[in-house]
């Protein structure tokens, strides 16, 4: 990248939000406003290398973009006087942009959007990041990010979201949505949920930039300053959080001399601003106060855990989420002893929201270790390592487990038994995949290394209720059948003693989706290639969903438009043929339909379900069903979205 292109990139990140916000005044459509701003960016890329960077590059971009907006208004044949008014506005000094950018932030974080769409759109139109940068930050593909952004723009347009600040009555709720998005971006950078690195500094910096911008735009909101304070202080520890090889260093083991004192002072200042504003402390102000307690302690031993526990008590009363309650258990365990903390953690073990959260067994392992219960602690650390999708964190947790000396296991473990059961030759491919999903999830919940003989029916019942308690009767019964088959094979029938089948309602098969609705679906330009191909194939072939998802590239006969699935053939027509060729181009083997991202080391699928070229796994039935429901909510009169079964032709 040349110096001039670096300059353009920096100017764009600084000015894009103001430009798009200003254009929203004219066109009242966030998608169109971004397109017009991008036109101005293209003009800069074409002209600045030859003519040099203008004295005021932001004003130059704004002028070009507004000119394009005026042209668009005229081309749209709006009232001539309205167009002239916009043209006169362009020739006048620009109005203050402060409220416009704030309006843009509220729109990009509007509650009508999903969390994923809010994050992607905010980073795009407010943060000025490219689709590629967002995809790289979250370890997903560019088409996935582009689809989220396009879906967000479409949802805003269809909902008729106005370019206006929220009314006083809804300001708190809407501001909470904005703060949630900013903090979610920060957390993904601070403790990456997947990938090889523990920290993604670019995301932390971007969240801090957005938070500081928001604090300037809304200086009278205490929670905004609280969030900024929290992010500043947490960012101050970045250099001390990892070792030479990228391994995590826990807070109490960190070299506090490496903490960034400038960021700490900025955090203290932001929290003081929040307190000066007054009012009842909100969740971000309370979390910032907890961060201040850690920052004020010169050593880990000087940490005021009693004060931190009291702050967590207040936070849990205000926001009793499972994660807040888990963090409170950590503080209580330090302030009042490990048994008090363990009692609180054990009360959370049946919460479905924490079923895949690796910090639950991680915290439990810490407390058990302090209580001298080493074998149980080791099992918890191993379970935490299996649950996390982050390679650095998984390796760290495994090392913690390995450092705990326990008597060598003689009894057969749950994991060994499950692998032996699934290794039988009498299981068909579809049964093997279904059983593998259920028993793999059960092993994660209970721990692979726990002796099978020590597993109780009560533990299995709790794990099943946590994992699948809220599912439909058919899904619950399918998982129960898998566990019963395993228990019978292992001569451990008591494992399912506390579980019962659920009555399944007999319902008439839903009608296939109508031709008009299908035409609307196929006409969408923002559908990712994978989804478009899968849905077309299901519609044209009338084959079973699991049969289609089980297809491998080596099964395909693209010339004859068919593929072998078990003992049957899946066939398709021209629309699918072209899509399939594009989808599998450059790949010679492995699953046809792949996940969005590579799995973490602890969740590596079997070789048969993994692409050797990309490392990504096979798309699951559950994920495919979810994506289709999300995409068809606007087609379904009930608003719930259609199931894949309804793609079968009439």
């Amino acid at each position: 990248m040349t110096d001039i292109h670096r300059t353009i990139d920096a100017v764009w990140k600084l000015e894009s939000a103001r430009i798009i916000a200003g254009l929203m005044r004219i066109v009242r459509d966030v998608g169109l406003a971004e397109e017009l701003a991008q036109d101005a960016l293209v003009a800069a890329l074409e002209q600045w290398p030859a003519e040099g960077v203008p004295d005021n590059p932001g004003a130059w971009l704004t002028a070009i973009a507004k000119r394009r907006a005026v042209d668009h208004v005229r081309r749209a044949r709006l009232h001539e006087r309205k167009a002239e008014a916009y043209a006169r506005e362009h020739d006048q000094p620009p109005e203050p942009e402060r409220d416009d950018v704030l309006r843009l932030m509220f729109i990009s974080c509007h509650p009508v959007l999903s969390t994923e769409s809010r994050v992607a759109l905010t980073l795009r139109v407010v943060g000025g990041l490219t689709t590629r940068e967002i995809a790289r930050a979250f370890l997903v593909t560019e088409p996935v990010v582009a689809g989220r952004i396009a879906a967000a723009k479409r949802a805003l347009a269809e909902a008729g979201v106005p370019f206006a600040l929220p009314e006083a009555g809804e300001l708190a709720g809407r501001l909470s949505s904005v703060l949630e998005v900013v903090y979610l971006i920060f957390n993904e950078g601070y403790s990456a949920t997947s990938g090889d690195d523990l920290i993604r500094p670019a995301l932390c910096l971007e969240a801090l930039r957005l938070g500081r911008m928001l604090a300037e735009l809304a200086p009278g909101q205490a929670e905004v300053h609280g969030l900024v304070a929290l992010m500043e202080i947490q960012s101050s520890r970045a250099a001390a959080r990892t070792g030479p090889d990228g391994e995590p260093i826990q807070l109490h083991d960190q070299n506090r001399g490496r903490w960034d004192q400038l960021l700490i002072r900025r955090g203290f200042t932001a929290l003081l601003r929040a307190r000066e504003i007054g009012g009842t402390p909100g969740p971000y102000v309370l979390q910032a106060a907890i961060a201040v307690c850690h920052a004020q302690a010169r050593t880990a031993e000087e940490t005021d855990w009693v004060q931190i526990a009291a702050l967590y008590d207040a936070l849990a009363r205000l926001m009793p989420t499972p994660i807040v309650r888990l963090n409170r258990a950590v503080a209580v365990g330090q302030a009042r002893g490990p048994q008090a903390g363990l009692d609180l953690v054990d009360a959370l073990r049946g919460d479905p929201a924490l079923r895949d959260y690796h910090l639950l067994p991680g915290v439990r392992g810490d407390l058990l270790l302090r209580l001298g219960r080493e074998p149980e602690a080791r099992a918890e650390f191993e379970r935490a390592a299996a649950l996390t999708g982050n390679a650095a964190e998984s390796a760290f947790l495994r090392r913690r487990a390995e450092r705990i000396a326990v008597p060598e296991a003689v009894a057969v473990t749950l994991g060994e038994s499950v692998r032996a059961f699934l290794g039988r030759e009498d299981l068909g491919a579809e049964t093997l995949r279904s059983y593998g999903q259920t028993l793999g999830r059960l092993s994660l919940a209970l721990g692979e290394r726990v002796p099978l003989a020590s597993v109780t029916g009560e533990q299995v019942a709790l794990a099943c209720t946590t994992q699948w308690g809220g599912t439909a009767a058919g899904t619950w019964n399918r998982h129960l059948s898998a566990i019963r088959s395993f228990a019978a094979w292992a001569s451990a029938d008591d494992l399912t003693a506390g579980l019962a089948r659920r009555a399944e309602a007999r319902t008439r098969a839903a009608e296939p989706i109508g031709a008009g609705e299908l035409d609307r679906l196929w006409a969408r330009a923002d559908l990712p290639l994978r989804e478009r191909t899968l849905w077309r194939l299901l519609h044209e072939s009338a084959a079973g969903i699991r049969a289609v998802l089980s297809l491998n590239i080596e099964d395909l006969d693209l010339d004859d438009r068919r593929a072998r699935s078990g003992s049957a053939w899946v066939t398709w027509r021209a629309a699918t043929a072209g899509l399939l060729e594009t989808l599998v181009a450059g790949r010679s083997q492995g699953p046809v339909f792949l996940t969005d991202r590579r799995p973490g080391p602890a969740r590596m699928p079997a070789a048969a379900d993994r692409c050797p070229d990309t490392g990504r796994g096979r798309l699951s039935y559950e994920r495919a069903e979810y994506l289709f429901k999300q995409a068809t909510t606007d087609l379904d009169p009930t608003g719930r979205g259609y199931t894949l079964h309804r793609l079968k032709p009439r």
Side-chain angles (χ1 to χ4, degrees), residues 170-348:
E170 62 175 359
L171 179 61
R174 292 286 302 282
L175 182 62
S176 175
S177 178
V178 176
L179 297 177
E180 177 192 7
V181 168
V182 174
Y183 195 40
L184 190 154
I185 294 168
F186 179 83
N187 270 335
E188 184 58 32
Y190 190 72
S191 298
T193 54
S194 58
D196 297 331
D197 300 318
L198 181 69
I199 305 172
R200 298 182 198 156
L203 278 180
C204 290
L205 291 173
E206 187 57 36
L208 260 175
R209 185 168 76 87
L210 291 172
R212 290 166 181 164
M213 181 192 303
L214 188 57
E216 290 179 6
L217 297 170
Q221 298 293 328
E223 277 291 85
V224 174
H225 296 293
L227 175 58
V228 172
L230 176 61
M231 294 191 296
E232 299 276 16
I233 295 172
Q234 287 183 320
S235 295
S236 72
R237 307 176 197 142
R241 289 186 65 227
T242 55
D245 298 322
E247 70 277 13
I249 299 177
Q250 292 182 292
L251 181 62
H252 61 268
D253 290 328
Q254 289 175 16
N255 177 358
R256 299 185 179 217
R258 300 191 68 198
W259 288 3
D260 190 320
Q261 294 303 312
L262 174 60
L263 289 176
I264 290 175
R265 287 196 295 274
R266 293 180 73 157
F268 286 3
T269 301
L271 185 58
L272 284 174
R273 288 198 192 105
R275 287 175 173 169
E276 287 168 1
I277 293 168
T280 303
Y284 293 108
V285 171
L286 287 172
Q287 289 176 84
I290 292 168
V292 165
C293 287
H294 287 296
Q296 287 176 326
R298 290 175 298 176
T299 65
E301 291 72 26
E302 293 180 23
T303 303
D304 188 349
W305 283 107
V306 173
Q307 174 65 13
I308 291 173
L311 287 167
Y312 267 118
D313 288 343
L315 183 61
R317 286 193 296 271
L318 188 65
M319 193 172 68
T321 66
I323 291 178
V324 167
R325 292 164 62 201
L326 179 62
N327 290 337
R328 174 175 173 262
V330 174
V332 168
Q334 292 288 348
R336 304 169 199 164
Q339 187 59 55
L342 184 62
D343 291 341
L344 294 176
V345 171
D346 284 348
L348 295 170

Side-chain angles (χ1 to χ4, degrees), residues 22 72 76 92 111 172 176 179 183 190 303 351 379 381 402 407 515 550 577 586 624:
H72 173 82
Q92 295 170 355
S176 175
L179 297 177
Y183 195 40
Y190 190 72
T303 303
D351 195 314
F381 288 137
E402 290 164 1
S550 70

Side-chain angles (χ1 to χ4, degrees), residues 525-644:
D526 61 319
L527 290 183
L529 176 62
R530 180 190 64 187
E531 278 75 84
R532 186 182 292 276
T533 307
L534 173 62
W535 301 345
R536 276 282 190 181
L537 178 53
L538 288 170
H539 178 64
E540 291 187 358
S541 68
I545 300 163
R546 295 185 186 277
V548 169
L549 290 172
S550 70
L551 291 177
N552 294 317
I553 293 176
E554 48 267 44
D555 299 329
L556 303 180
D557 185 341
L558 295 175
D559 292 332
D560 287 344
R561 299 180 183 173
R562 64 177 188 169
R564 172 72 72 177
S565 177
S567 59
W569 287 96
V570 175
T571 60
W572 55 87
R573 299 196 295 275
T576 300
L579 293 169
L580 264 176
E581 288 183 9
T582 305
L583 181 68
V584 303
R587 294 193 283 134
S588 58
Q589 55 182 318
V592 173
F593 299 101
L594 300 173
T595 55
D596 293 325
R597 63 177 72 181
R598 294 189 299 274
R603 297 186 179 183
M604 195 62 65
D609 290 323
R610 189 170 70 247
C611 173
D613 300 315
T614 66
R616 288 185 282 154
R618 188 184 303 276
L619 179 67
S620 70
Y621 174 91
E622 291 77 11
R623 179 64 177 167
E625 192 75 84
Y626 168 79
L627 291 171
F628 189 63
K629 282 189 174 182
Q630 290 292 106
T632 56
T633 52
D634 59 336
L635 299 178
D636 180 8
T638 69
R640 293 193 295 267
Y642 293 131
T643 61
L644 287 168

